[in-house]
Amino acid sequence: MDLEKLVSDLGKERDRLGRAISALLGTAGAALSGGGGRKKRIGRPKGATTKKRKRGGLTPEGRKRLSIAMKKRWAERKKKGA
């Protein structure tokens, strides 16, 4: 196959896909090609505040278990050091 024909066919396919995408999105072709169209803002609206992330806390039972485990660990380390 000739290289020029291959490039020509690829260009035609690109144009066809561009028209299909424009039809699906309902926008002008200029917006897709970057031809002066404004880009849509993506992300949070301007001035929107983010919610504070709630940290997962320990339950009282979990805190008690952790306390016991740490005291046991520290006691073992103290024995090894002495």
Side-chain angles (χ1 to χ4, degrees), residues 20-54:
I21 291 170
S22 293
L24 288 171
L25 295 176
T27 60
L32 289 175
S33 63
R38 283 188 77 173
K39 292 184 179 182
K40 185 176 180 180
R41 182 179 169 93
I42 299 175
R44 290 185 289 128
K46 199 169 192 177
T49 59
T50 58
K51 293 181 181 179
K52 293 281 184 183
R53 183 177 159 199
K54 188 174 182 180

Side-chain angles (χ1 to χ4, degrees), residues 70-81:
M70 291 305 290
K71 286 177 183 176
K72 182 178 175 183
R73 178 179 175 215
W74 293 329
E76 289 174 4
R77 291 186 77 174
K78 191 174 180 182
K79 281 182 188 176
K80 286 183 182 179

Side-chain angles (χ1 to χ4, degrees), residues 9-30:
D9 289 344
L10 288 173
K12 289 176 187 176
E13 184 70 13
R14 181 192 61 211
D15 294 340
R16 185 184 70 78
L17 289 172
R19 286 191 304 272
I21 291 170
S22 293
L24 288 171
L25 295 176
T27 60

